[in-house]
Amino acid sequence: MAYENFNVETDADGIALVTWDIPGKSMNVIDETSGAELAAIIEQMTSDAAVKGVVITSGKDAFCAGADLTMLERMNRTYAEMLSSQGEEVANKYVFDEARKLSQSFRNIEVGGKPWVAAINGTALGGGFELTLACHYRIASDNPKTRVGLPEVKVGIFPGGGGTQRLPRMMPTMDAVQMLFKGEAIDLKKAQDRGIIGEVVPAADLIQRAKDWIKVGGKAVAPWDEKGFKLPGGPVYSKEGAQFFQPAAAMLRRETYDNYPGARAILQCVYEGLQLPMDTALRVESRYFSKILRSNEAAAMIRSLFMSMQELNKGARRPPNVPPIKVKKIAVIGAGFMGASVGFVSAQAGIDVVLIDRDQDAADKGKGHSKANIDAAVSKGRMKRADGEAILSRITATADYNAISDCDLVIEAVFEDRKVKAETYAKAQPLLKEGAIFATNTSTLPINSLAEEWKDQSKFIGIHFFSPVEKMMLSEIIVGKNTGDVALATALDYVRQIKKTPIVVNDSRGFFANRCVMLFLFEGYEMLLEGVPPAMIENTAKMAGMPVGPLSLNDETALDLGLKILRATEADIGAQAINQDHKKLLVELVEKRGRLGRKNGKGFYDYPEKGKGQKKLWPELTTLQPKHLDPDTLDVEELKQRFLVVQAVEAARTVEDDVITDPREADVGSILGFGFPPFTGGTLSYIDFMGTKKFVEQCLKLEKKYGSRFTPPKLLIDMAAKNETFYGRFPPKKAAAA
């Protein structure tokens, strides 16, 4: 029988080699076709008496990237249609039956009576890794880049193909649950140490070694199906179980604040499943999986963190009329922390970099940042010394502006000061080669006003990086009123070269990300001035799902920078444009108390010397509060809500102001750029899944109590009246380039 995505060949010894190779795709994924064909192959192999065993491998560089999550999204759409037309019982049964198909196929491998070996020739993730776990033995080809793991929790779901049952039957429960909770992908050495992979062999020997295992009598029975099997971590109701499950539940709440149903379901599946025979345990897993799949959290995370991010990374916003552009050489003007980091990630991507500063010492110091990164990576075994030297060789440090004359792209990363930027533009502009693009890394100053210093404004654009550049995956590309398509295409292609996710926004003070995150920081100021205990401010923000509290984030971004931004806004627009109480608070901290944030070891927190303990809230912070509220009288849910609503309503304003024109960019940008809770799907998904009518009601309630920062914009009120969503009213644009 011929298959579309698999090739099946049986040799003279009766061993079938099943090679998974989806035509036209760089990676194998489990989609409807692959799932159905795999089920048919398993049935064929089981029923064919001539087949003595099966080796499954991949025809691509990797084994499998996991499930095609658009398949799950389609399943959810069908569920919604069936719920409306046929009722809850029929719709629920549909999801359960569909979710169970893959799990049943994998179980059929285990109990089919024929030995199956997974010949893992590259990375195996998600459902692809679960397929290998269902095989009776696993062999991998020796490749330092290979990773295996179950990352489903990162998109709001969890492994539904047996992963929550097989892993804790292979290794100690604690190790298995940690791997599931983190969604971590581990290398082959760790996988072999944990008993997941049986052997690691040279690539040329992989298939033959897999066949040999079958020939010498490899068993067609999983350990847990044999009589007398004992769990590696001990039974649930045992001393070992008691020492793990109670603390695990507490750790889960500490890490997630119970915001992620998928993570909670992992612990439930493991706890319940380990007390049951495998077939029943798998049924329990499928029940939880079908429940989580129907949750708002899963729908939101799959849409934003998989589908939307993938579309943006593939160039959804790229002008279709501009041919692909490969940036070969860039200049970064300003070799401070931000500029040096931009230079480093660019050189890592194979781009030649000129790092320019006011004098040679400052430029050399900027290049030294790259050397420090490389030295750290080499010492931890994450980079080979030769690769590090190659990166450094691509970076030229200089004080000579003439070095930009052969660069395709010039990025300005000087101080957030109009005068300094204007001086930089005056020096750089005459030296640019024909067709070169100039980008500013400003984080708040409007692009249109900065572009006034530029003769050909079509070549001027904003590329806003987030700090630390090496870790932050987002770049915000800001288009001015006169920015041309070539500049936009160049910026997008460059950002994709350095492996960042781009969002495209129109010009505005603070653009998108800073407009929203500043409201989060300001809400922290408001609570502090209201008399909310500082620790409560920080903790409720984290309970709401933010990665850190607003006071901590202020320290990270630097209090003096925050004061500079307020003063620049006041100078440009007027005193009414900023909250004078916020300014007064920052003046007190920065200028009177010398507290600049983490960079000088004191801000809202006190920071210990390196390696000497943890940061602690500054004890005297309460002396700056006009009054002190009793924490027992405060509504924790309202405090949490304030942090999320104030950011989301600002995101809605950016849509009304035409800064955001595609809801995907607000959602992906808010999660990657400033840590808006991933379980919401992002700022606009937070509104959509709550319902615009209910969200507006929340805004009006908070506006009445706390002021105009919660006032919903006219657009949102109009959408609420019509029961519209952002994704319905502003449907995402189709990708223009692959």
Side-chain angles (χ1 to χ4, degrees):
M1 181 177 176
Y3 298 97
E4 183 181 331
N5 293 342
F6 295 88
N7 181 50
V8 182
E9 297 175 322
T10 305
D11 65 16
D13 296 312
I15 298 174
L17 176 63
V18 178
T19 305
W20 191 0
D21 196 355
I22 300 180
K25 287 195 175 182
S26 60
M27 298 275 274
N28 292 322
V29 293
I30 296 175
D31 53 16
E32 287 95 336
T33 304
S34 287
E37 289 188 347
L38 184 60
I41 289 168
I42 294 165
E43 185 178 346
Q44 178 191 343
M45 298 296 100
T46 302
S47 60
D48 189 344
V51 174
K52 306 303 179 188
V54 183
V55 174
I56 185 163
T57 193
S58 165
K60 303 188 185 298
D61 292 338
F63 186 83
C64 174
D68 177 2
L69 296 184
T70 58
M71 172 178 68
L72 302 183
E73 201 256 349
R74 286 192 293 272
M75 195 188 302
N76 262 341
R77 283 207 305 269
T78 303
Y79 164 77
E81 292 164 6
M82 293 180 75
L83 185 65
S84 175
S85 61
Q86 300 180 54
E88 189 173 1
E89 187 176 339
V90 173
N92 287 349
K93 186 177 186 304
Y94 160 77
V95 175
F96 176 73
D97 290 343
E98 288 298 307
R100 189 153 164 70
K101 282 181 179 177
L102 199 64
S103 181
Q104 287 177 312
S105 291
F106 293 168
R107 183 59 174 157
N108 288 340
I109 288 174
E110 278 184 333
V111 299
K114 306 282 178 73
W116 279 65
V117 180
I120 304 168
N121 61 309
T123 291
L125 300 174
F129 182 45
E130 288 180 290
L131 167 59
T132 73
L133 295 179
C135 293
H136 303 101
Y137 195 59
R138 286 156 296 284
I139 301 176
S141 58
D142 191 3
N143 183 343
K145 293 183 179 179
T146 295
R147 297 291 182 270
V148 296
L150 299 167
E152 288 89 342
V153 73
K154 294 180 179 179
V155 287
I157 54 176
F158 69 91
T164 69
Q165 300 310 309
R166 293 190 177 93
L167 268 190
R169 285 168 169 82
M170 289 181 170
M171 65 174 82
T173 315
M174 183 184 296
D175 294 340
V177 171
Q178 280 279 75
M179 191 170 169
L180 291 162
F181 273 171
K182 291 180 179 179
E184 66 175 330
I186 59 176
D187 60 28
L188 292 178
K189 184 180 185 308
K190 282 185 181 175
Q192 199 170 10
D193 290 344
R194 294 179 185 182
I196 300 171
I197 303 281
E199 297 176 54
V200 177
V201 300
D205 301 337
L206 180 64
I207 302 303
Q208 189 56 52
R209 182 66 196 94
K211 289 184 174 184
D212 288 345
W213 186 85
I214 294 170
K215 288 180 190 176
V216 298
K219 292 174 74 172
V221 182
W224 39 88
D225 288 323
E226 293 192 282
K227 191 174 180 180
F229 170 72
K230 291 184 178 180
L231 292 166
V236 169
Y237 288 103
S238 66
K239 183 180 177 182
E240 295 89 345
Q243 287 175 340
F244 170 69
F245 281 102
Q246 288 181 2
M251 285 190 292
L252 175 66
R253 285 195 56 89
R254 185 189 69 192
E255 296 298 322
T256 69
Y257 294 98
D258 224 13
N259 286 323
Y260 295 85
R264 185 170 67 250
I266 288 171
L267 193 59
Q268 291 170 314
C269 283
V270 174
Y271 177 77
E272 294 176 29
L274 291 186
Q275 300 177 61
L276 300 167
M278 181 57 99
D279 288 305
T280 312
L282 290 172
R283 189 174 183 84
V284 166
E285 181 190 73
S286 294
R287 285 193 179 280
Y288 276 112
F289 185 79
S290 59
K291 177 185 177 183
I292 296 303
L293 190 59
R294 287 174 285 143
S295 69
N296 283 344
E297 291 85 355
M301 290 177 76
I302 287 171
R303 181 170 71 184
S304 294
L305 294 175
F306 177 75
M307 296 171 64
S308 295
M309 195 181 300
Q310 193 175 72
E311 288 156 7
L312 294 176
N313 283 333
K314 287 183 176 179
R317 297 299 311 281
R318 191 183 189 282
N321 56 317
V322 181
I325 296 163
K326 185 171 183 181
V327 174
K328 295 176 182 175
K329 186 173 184 179
I330 70 164
V332 181
I333 302 175
F337 181 71
M338 178 62 78
S341 298
V342 171
F344 175 63
V345 298
S346 301
Q348 264 190 314
I351 299 169
D352 288 331
V353 177
V354 176
L355 204 54
I356 300 174
D357 214 307
R358 61 184 179 275
D359 55 47
Q360 190 63 46
D361 284 347
D364 288 339
K365 186 178 177 183
K367 183 171 180 177
H369 173 78
S370 294
K371 186 177 186 307
N373 279 343
I374 289 164
D375 289 344
V378 170
S379 69
K380 292 173 183 175
R382 294 175 184 165
M383 185 186 291
K384 292 179 180 176
R385 175 57 67 184
D387 293 337
E389 292 298 333
I391 292 170
L392 278 179
S393 71
R394 287 193 281 271
I395 302 174
T396 301
T398 182
D400 184 2
Y401 271 67
N402 287 298
I404 71 175
S405 61
D406 61 345
C407 292
D408 309 308
L409 171 68
V410 178
I411 300 171
E412 166 264 300
V414 301
F415 291 121
E416 197 77 345
D417 182 296
R418 286 185 181 279
K419 185 180 178 184
V420 175
K421 289 183 185 295
E423 289 170 356
T424 302
Y425 301 165
K427 287 182 186 177
Q429 202 163 173
L431 302 172
L432 293 180
K433 76 174 186 180
E434 183 71 26
I437 303 302
F438 193 93
T440 174
N441 178 52
T442 182
S443 56
T444 55
L445 296 173
I447 297 299
N448 289 325
S449 61
L450 293 176
E452 290 172 4
E453 304 290 336
W454 216 254
K455 290 177 184 175
D456 183 358
Q457 293 186 18
S458 70
K459 301 289 197 304
F460 191 91
I461 196 165
I463 304 179
H464 176 210
F465 294 91
F466 294 78
S467 185
V469 179
E470 293 87 347
K471 292 182 180 178
M472 298 295 283
M473 297 311 298
L474 186 75
S475 285
E476 192 175 26
I477 295 174
I478 305 101
V479 177
K481 63 184 177 183
N482 295 319
T483 301
D485 281 354
V486 173
L488 175 57
T490 302
L492 282 166
D493 288 353
Y494 162 69
V495 166
R496 290 164 71 194
Q497 270 181 260
I498 62 172
K499 297 181 172 58
K500 305 291 181 190
T501 295
I503 63 169
V504 179
V505 304
N506 288 325
D507 193 25
S508 161
R509 181 173 294 273
F511 320 125
F512 168 71
N514 278 343
R515 271 183 64 167
C516 295
V517 79
M518 289 301 284
L519 270 291
F520 172 63
L521 299 178
F522 292 163
E523 201 61 24
Y525 298 168
E526 292 287 345
M527 290 181 185
L528 192 70
L529 296 172
E530 287 167 20
V532 179
M536 198 170 186
I537 296 171
E538 296 292 83
N539 288 334
T540 51
K542 289 187 282 187
M543 290 168 70
M546 296 299 292
V548 295
L551 307 182
S552 182
L553 184 57
N554 262 284
D555 278 1
E556 294 296 331
T557 56
L559 303 187
D560 58 330
L561 176 61
L563 181 57
K564 270 184 188 174
I565 290 170
L566 285 182
R567 281 180 166 155
T569 304
E570 188 175 33
D572 280 2
I573 305 175
Q576 79 289 346
I578 68 167
N579 186 311
Q580 294 296 327
D581 288 334
H582 297 176
K583 178 184 170 185
K584 185 179 175 183
L585 175 65
L586 288 178
V587 167
E588 178 69 31
L589 285 161
V590 174
E591 296 181 350
K592 296 183 180 178
R593 308 286 185 116
R595 304 187 71 85
L596 310 183
R598 179 184 277 276
K599 68 181 182 181
N600 80 330
K602 51 186 182 178
F604 286 108
Y605 285 79
D606 281 327
Y607 296 86
E609 290 181 33
K610 198 168 184 180
K612 293 186 179 179
Q614 294 183 322
K615 67 180 184 182
K616 293 180 181 178
L617 279 162
W618 179 39
E620 292 181 43
L621 185 55
T622 54
T623 66
L624 303 187
Q625 293 183 282
K627 58 183 176 179
H628 301 97
L629 299 176
D630 179 355
D632 291 336
T633 65
L634 297 174
D635 184 340
V636 170
E637 286 304 313
E638 184 180 81
L639 293 174
K640 289 164 56 178
Q641 189 183 98
R642 284 170 63 179
F643 282 125
L644 301 189
V645 171
V646 78
Q647 295 178 81
V649 75
E650 186 65 16
R653 292 184 193 114
T654 67
V655 177
E656 185 175 72
D657 295 345
D658 199 39
V659 174
I660 287 288
T661 59
D662 187 321
R664 293 174 299 186
E665 291 174 312
D667 281 343
V668 172
S670 61
I671 294 171
L672 295 187
F674 51 92
F676 196 80
F679 69 86
T680 66
T683 45
L684 297 185
S685 282
Y686 175 68
I687 299 172
D688 277 2
F689 280 101
M690 183 187 292
T692 45
K693 185 176 180 181
K694 185 177 177 183
F695 182 78
V696 165
E697 288 171 0
Q698 298 275 32
C699 287
L700 294 174
K701 178 182 168 186
L702 292 170
E703 176 194 28
K704 186 176 180 181
K705 196 169 179 181
Y706 297 106
S708 61
R709 63 187 181 278
F710 291 104
T711 304
K714 184 178 179 299
L715 168 68
L716 201 49
I717 293 171
D718 181 51
M719 289 173 63
K722 298 174 184 176
N723 201 27
E724 290 180 320
T725 64
F726 282 98
Y727 279 79
R729 181 156 175 162
F730 306 97
K733 300 171 178 60
K734 295 291 183 185

